[in-house]
Amino acid sequence: MKFLDKFHENRYEMAMAIAENTYKIQGYTYVETVDPLRDYVIGEDNGVVYVLEVNKHCTDVRKCLGIDYLYSEPFPFQEGVSVGVLDIALRIIKSFRDMSGLREHILNKELIQFEARDYMYLRNTSEPENVYQRFVNSLRDREVEELALLSRNYMEMYRVLDRNPEGVEKLEEKFREVEAEILRIAGKNGVEYVEGYGRIDPEEHISEDEEHIEREVESPLDVLHILAQVRARKVRENIDGFLEYLRRSEGPLTWGPVNATGVLLDSFERRTGTILILNPGDLVVNRGGEKRVHVEPGIILVEKLVESG
């Protein structure tokens, strides 16, 4: 028996070691186990064996795996369709006929995802830069750069004030000035921030015996959230420039076992990768040999169904 890799070989042995019953279903061998939560399915592709995990008592294997078709079957290239390539799933997030369709999707859907990941990127310096961050940074926007510097000042001042040292009245005044400037830039860019430092919780009760200074019952502005929102606003205002940037970024790419011609929009914990396809062509999955899948213009989420590989 030839396995996809050592991980699948060991998983096969584990599944059979706890098997209670096995039977054929939808082209797989279903393995019922003594595990109260998980069963397994064994697939075979051109003599190569792979093993996938499913929820207990799964009755529709493809549905449990989150796939609609196998790569060897004809499938419609349309939103919501998912194609299984051994232990990889290709999920079609969006298909479009022209750049106007992509433009609409980015404005109405994708920018929300970009902004959320941008917030994590700003919070964590080890977060990898993707095409969205590269474009925003290439704008060299004066307000964005000023807001980034003010945010660093603001957080540094707050850390000092939060330790409640004596004699910080002048620092408190400067802190408020920086805060006001951050909110001014945010407001100018249509970002209304309603929670944060300077808003006392009306439910908070301070007794006369407890002389808390004001900042002890307040929260600082989430300045990185504000910065991410302003950065997203700048992309929205420069959407045609962003589309052109995506076109210029198109080229051969590799993500995990996948090779394609397109743009890698995002990658999450080496488990999923989001790829923009601008022209019809073949996406190649190098698992158990070279598997070619024809793709049309659209956005595809590549997901590993196991932790190996």
Side-chain angles (χ1 to χ4, degrees):
M1 188 177 293
K2 181 181 178 181
F3 291 93
L4 185 56
D5 55 30
K6 191 66 176 179
F7 176 89
H8 284 274
E9 181 178 359
N10 287 333
R11 176 178 266 190
Y12 173 85
E13 293 175 355
M14 179 188 71
M16 299 310 295
I18 57 175
E20 285 189 314
N21 186 29
T22 63
Y23 54 88
K24 296 289 186 179
I25 180 174
Q26 295 178 307
Y28 295 92
T29 298
Y30 193 96
V31 182
E32 291 181 340
T33 73
V34 297
D35 187 317
L37 298 178
R38 298 287 183 264
D39 288 332
Y40 294 89
V41 292
I42 302 170
E44 185 175 341
D45 181 89
N46 294 320
V48 176
V49 175
Y50 58 100
V51 186
L52 302 174
E53 183 183 81
V54 293
N55 291 331
K56 195 72 177 173
H57 305 309
C58 169
T59 56
D60 187 331
V61 173
R62 291 194 180 186
K63 185 175 180 180
C64 291
L65 294 175
I67 60 175
D68 304 301
Y69 300 89
L70 298 179
Y71 77 96
S72 55
E73 302 168 345
F75 66 90
F77 193 89
Q78 62 189 38
E79 184 174 341
V81 170
S82 184
V83 180
V85 188
L86 287 74
D87 60 352
I88 298 289
L90 307 177
R91 309 193 191 284
I92 303 171
I93 305 300
K94 183 66 178 179
S95 63
F96 50 85
R97 294 182 178 179
D98 50 36
M99 293 303 289
S100 64
L102 173 61
R103 187 181 195 277
E104 180 181 359
H105 177 74
I106 288 179
L107 281 172
N108 296 330
K109 297 289 182 66
E110 205 66 28
L111 266 180
I112 298 173
Q113 302 297 324
F114 282 144
E115 182 184 324
R117 289 303 306 274
D118 194 39
Y119 176 66
M120 298 304 297
Y121 166 80
L122 294 170
R123 281 178 57 91
N124 183 359
T125 56
S126 65
E127 186 81 6
E129 183 183 66
N130 62 34
V131 67
Y132 174 81
Q133 276 94 36
R134 290 196 294 273
F135 174 72
V136 177
N137 295 336
S138 74
L139 292 175
R140 297 291 188 266
D141 185 88
R142 182 184 60 79
E143 288 183 322
V144 168
E145 292 179 349
E146 182 180 356
L147 188 56
L149 294 174
L150 288 170
S151 298
R152 289 166 57 188
N153 292 143
Y154 183 84
M155 291 187 289
E156 183 177 17
M157 291 179 187
Y158 181 78
R159 283 193 291 269
V160 175
L161 292 172
D162 194 47
R163 291 192 284 270
N164 298 327
E166 297 294 331
V168 293
E169 290 77 12
K170 290 184 179 180
L171 179 60
E172 176 81 21
E173 291 177 8
K174 185 61 181 177
F175 179 74
R176 294 299 189 181
E177 290 176 12
V178 172
E179 178 182 74
E181 184 63 11
I182 289 172
L183 292 176
R184 185 193 68 79
I185 296 174
K188 182 181 176 183
N189 286 275
V191 174
E192 295 184 4
Y193 196 82
V194 297
E195 296 180 359
Y197 199 97
R199 281 75 175 174
I200 300 177
D201 186 348
E203 301 299 322
E204 183 76 33
H205 174 70
I206 305 176
S207 70
E208 294 181 359
D209 295 331
E210 293 179 301
E211 291 295 333
H212 290 284
I213 62 173
E214 187 175 296
R215 63 179 171 272
E216 287 184 304
V217 293
E218 299 171 350
S219 299
L221 293 173
D222 189 342
V223 288
L224 296 183
H225 183 211
I226 294 174
L227 180 56
Q229 288 180 291
V230 172
R231 283 161 63 91
R233 184 65 175 253
K234 296 296 183 179
V235 174
R236 189 174 294 275
E237 292 172 354
N238 290 275
I239 184 62
D240 291 327
F242 185 43
L243 291 175
E244 179 59 30
Y245 190 83
L246 291 175
R247 279 195 289 261
R248 294 200 308 269
S249 300
E250 181 188 22
L253 65 88
T254 298
W255 184 89
V258 173
N259 293 322
T261 297
V263 183
L264 182 64
L265 294 180
D266 204 0
S267 181
F268 182 69
E269 293 183 347
R270 292 180 294 181
R271 183 67 184 263
T272 63
T274 306
I275 299 174
L276 169 64
I277 303 294
L278 292 173
N279 294 287
D282 284 348
L283 180 149
V284 179
V285 180
N286 295 296
R287 295 293 284 158
E290 190 177 87
K291 318 296 183 187
R292 290 187 172 270
V293 180
H294 183 75
V295 292
E296 297 289 331
I299 296 176
I300 299 173
L301 178 73
V302 180
E303 180 181 1
K304 297 180 181 180
L305 298 179
V306 298
E307 296 292 343
S308 72

